[in-house]
Amino acid sequence: MKLNVDALRYLSKDDFRVLTAVEMGMRNHEIVPSELVDRIASLKHGGTYKVLKNLLKHKLLHHDSSKYDGFRLTYLGYDFLAIKTLVNRGVFMSVGRQIGVGKESDIFEVATEDGTVLAMKLHRLGRVSFRAVKSKRDYLRHRSSFNWLYLSRLAAVKEFAFMKALEEHGFPVPNAVDCNRHCVIMSLVQGYPLVQVKQLQNPEMVFERIIGLVIRLAEHGLIHCDFNEFNIMIDDDEKVTMIDFPQMVSVDHRNAQMYFDRDVECVFKFFLKRFNMSFQEIPDDIDDAEVDMDESGRPCFSSIAKGSGFLDKDLAASGFTRKDQEDIEKFIEGGVEKDADSGDEENEDGGLASELNESDISGVESLHLVEQPTLNCDVEGIEENEQKTEAGLTNGPETQDASDEEEDNETMISKDAELTKRLRNQKRRVIASVRGGRKNLASRNTYKDKGGRSSHNSKIQKQLSSW
């Protein structure tokens, strides 16, 4: 989308208030309902809808009524919010011409109050030329849903952080000035993209500097991942400057070697085609970095040793996070012992649980086993006593013992019957309490007279009462 800032000077505070309300609503809405916009903006006398019409006229918002009546920010509206914030901060005062267009960004000239010219980079992820952001970049991390404006903001914040850290470590990068939303303000590099350069006085020296930058980045734990002639600036004195950093990853990334070899291969191919260079006389120590070379003269990624500055850890680059590093350090220090201790504790807990379960189960089984043999023994004793009495073999005390046993059996049986009754009553009470103490209601048609026997008896009773 073409950036036209002419309308910016005519927007009022209410316009920016409504734009900010739509931006806040887009945190959890793809299309922000108009009622929510009005509630967040809270303008007096229903002025929100009048402002929305003005913003739609300038194409700062997009109206969508497919599912419900709502609005969403366009990239132009997001640009106005970022530019307005940076102007209020005093970072720059005017916007100039466009100086660059990329697959995911636009670059403009801006001027400060004292006339210093800076570069303003507006990230515009979601273009037709580059929509595979979710698979190519890790801006989302664990998130499943995304918004192009939010992804552009993440890319801008990431690039500003990398640019600031590389500048502090002495890398030839633009000076990072400020960042807001998807907008990054940096110093303007006085030079040309390497792809536009046709001749060099010392191509071998420039080539060594560029390859040295790739190796030096790897020594600091980073890989550019897009290091080609389009992202390398060179001035009249053949001074090299790197640009474009949102896609940088750590050397501990699972595809780090592939990215490193791709960056090196891009540089080799360009210098071979453009300047017809031969790479057989390249020294092994490029820019004071001792790196092993393969048969074709390209640096080996496995031979690069990390230096003292771990920028990938400080910046949480892709493939290397602080949380993962802390987990690894804990595991190396004593994680194995802790796991073993925790395993013993788990075994102890599991043993206690198994013992409790076995005791419970044995107790339940013992109850059944105690009841059954006593009943069997009692029945056998009764049968034996009956046989003895029939045969006349029983004596006085034995008959008394048998009668006592019979009485005991009868009392036990009666107690069992009482126990079953109590259990049934308790069961009914529990069911009633679960149901909330509600009784079964009769059907709604019981009051109707259907001409049955009950209705006939009620008629007879009414006649008798009248008599």
Side-chain angles (χ1 to χ4, degrees):
M1 181 177 287
K2 185 178 179 180
L3 177 62
N4 186 7
V5 296
D6 292 338
L8 184 62
R9 66 184 71 180
Y10 301 112
L11 296 179
S12 62
K13 292 182 179 179
D14 292 343
D15 294 329
F16 282 104
R17 189 178 183 88
V18 174
L19 277 178
T20 307
V22 177
E23 181 188 15
M24 293 174 64
M26 288 184 68
R27 293 180 180 178
N28 50 10
H29 289 82
E30 184 178 0
I31 303 296
V32 185
S34 55
E35 295 83 2
L36 182 60
V37 177
D38 186 24
R39 202 181 312 152
I40 297 175
S42 64
L43 297 181
K44 294 181 179 180
H45 309 296
T48 304
Y49 298 98
K50 183 179 179 181
V51 173
L52 287 172
K53 287 183 180 180
N54 186 30
L55 297 176
L56 285 172
K57 183 179 69 174
H58 293 293
K59 297 182 180 180
L60 304 181
L61 293 178
H62 175 74
H63 179 249
D64 191 348
S65 59
S66 57
K67 296 181 180 179
Y68 52 85
D69 188 29
F71 300 87
R72 65 173 175 84
L73 271 176
T74 61
Y75 263 117
L76 187 59
Y78 208 45
D79 295 342
F80 277 27
L81 285 173
I83 292 172
K84 181 67 174 177
T85 304
L86 292 171
V87 169
N88 291 337
R89 290 180 186 175
V91 179
F92 61 88
M93 297 300 294
S94 61
V95 180
R97 63 188 179 93
Q98 186 174 1
I99 58 176
V101 179
K103 65 180 184 296
E104 52 181 326
S105 63
D106 291 337
I107 303 173
F108 296 86
E109 285 184 348
V110 293
T112 60
E113 190 175 2
D114 58 355
T116 305
V117 180
L118 302 175
M120 177 179 66
K121 184 174 182 179
L122 298 172
H123 289 261
R124 301 196 188 281
L125 273 68
R127 284 178 171 171
V128 179
S129 60
F130 187 66
R131 282 184 172 264
V133 180
K134 190 173 181 180
S135 58
K136 300 291 185 183
R137 307 283 166 81
D138 66 334
Y139 300 150
L140 288 174
R141 296 187 183 272
H142 60 278
R143 304 177 186 88
S144 57
S145 60
F146 63 94
N147 186 337
W148 291 119
L149 298 180
Y150 179 67
L151 287 181
S152 300
R153 176 182 171 274
L154 291 179
V157 171
K158 192 172 183 180
E159 181 172 21
F160 183 79
F162 278 119
M163 197 186 307
K164 200 78 174 175
L166 292 174
E167 182 187 358
E168 292 175 355
H169 285 75
F171 283 89
V173 296
N175 180 22
V177 178
D178 202 348
C179 176
N180 181 261
R181 293 178 175 87
H182 67 311
C183 178
V184 179
I185 307 297
M186 65 189 81
S187 62
L188 183 63
V189 179
Q190 300 297 328
Y192 313 94
L194 187 60
V195 68
Q196 299 178 2
V197 178
K198 303 298 182 181
Q199 293 180 354
L200 289 174
Q201 296 179 358
N202 299 311
E204 293 83 4
M205 187 185 306
V206 175
F207 174 79
E208 290 181 7
R209 290 175 184 171
I210 294 173
I211 294 296
L213 286 176
V214 178
I215 298 173
R216 190 176 162 199
L217 280 174
E219 290 176 348
H220 283 76
L222 295 173
I223 299 175
H224 192 280
C225 295
D226 197 14
F227 201 77
N228 50 40
E229 60 273 16
F230 297 95
N231 294 326
I232 299 173
M233 304 290 292
I234 188 168
D235 58 4
D236 295 334
D237 298 332
E238 297 186 353
K239 180 182 178 182
V240 177
T241 305
M242 296 186 300
I243 60 173
D244 195 11
F245 312 103
Q247 68 284 335
M248 294 184 76
V249 300
S250 169
V251 293
D252 294 325
H253 195 276
R254 58 182 180 180
N255 298 325
Q257 185 170 359
M258 184 269 291
Y259 290 135
F260 179 83
D261 295 339
R262 188 178 68 181
D263 289 348
V264 173
E265 189 65 24
C266 288
V267 177
F268 269 75
K269 281 185 178 181
F270 175 77
F271 277 86
L272 178 63
K273 292 181 179 180
R274 181 65 58 88
F275 305 108
N276 296 322
M277 284 186 58
S278 60
F279 307 107
Q280 297 179 359
E281 297 181 356
I282 298 175
D284 293 343
D285 52 346
I286 299 176
D287 282 359
D288 299 332
E290 296 182 359
V291 182
D292 296 336
M293 301 290 180
D294 57 7
E295 297 177 356
S296 60
R298 289 163 174 77
C300 296
F301 176 74
S302 58
S303 63
I304 298 176
K306 259 190 174 185
S308 58
F310 298 104
L311 293 179
D312 54 348
K313 181 180 178 181
D314 296 336
L315 300 172
S318 176
F320 192 97
T321 59
R322 297 180 181 178
K323 183 179 179 182
D324 295 337
Q325 178 64 19
E326 291 175 358
D327 294 340
I328 291 171
E329 291 176 355
K330 289 180 181 179
F331 180 78
I332 293 173
E333 290 175 358
V336 178
E337 296 178 358
K338 292 180 181 179
D339 292 339
D341 296 338
S342 62
D344 295 338
E345 292 176 359
E346 288 178 358
N347 292 330
E348 291 176 0
D349 296 337
L352 291 172
S354 60
E355 288 177 2
L356 289 173
N357 293 331
E358 289 177 358
S359 63
D360 295 337
I361 293 169
S362 62
V364 173
E365 292 178 351
S366 64
L367 290 175
H368 294 290
L369 292 174
V370 168
E371 291 176 357
Q372 291 176 355
T374 52
L375 291 174
N376 292 332
C377 294
D378 295 336
V379 172
E380 290 176 358
I382 293 169
E383 291 177 353
E384 290 178 357
N385 290 329
E386 289 178 352
Q387 291 175 1
K388 289 179 181 180
T389 51
E390 290 176 355
L393 298 174
T394 55
N395 296 324
E398 291 178 357
T399 54
Q400 290 179 358
D401 295 336
S403 62
D404 293 337
E405 290 178 358
E406 290 177 359
E407 292 177 357
D408 294 337
N409 291 330
E410 290 177 357
T411 55
M412 288 178 66
I413 291 169
S414 63
K415 289 180 179 179
D416 291 338
E418 292 178 358
L419 183 60
T420 54
K421 288 181 180 179
R422 291 177 182 173
L423 291 174
R424 288 176 183 173
N425 293 331
Q426 289 181 358
K427 186 177 180 180
R428 290 174 183 171
R429 291 172 186 170
V430 170
I431 293 172
S433 63
V434 171
R435 292 179 178 175
R438 294 177 294 178
K439 296 181 180 180
N440 293 328
L441 298 176
S443 64
R444 61 180 67 180
N445 295 325
T446 53
Y447 67 92
K448 293 183 179 179
D449 186 9
K450 296 184 179 180
R453 186 175 179 181
S454 60
S455 61
H456 181 67
N457 294 333
S458 62
K459 290 179 180 178
I460 293 171
Q461 290 178 359
K462 289 180 179 178
Q463 291 177 1
L464 291 173
S465 61
S466 63
W467 291 346

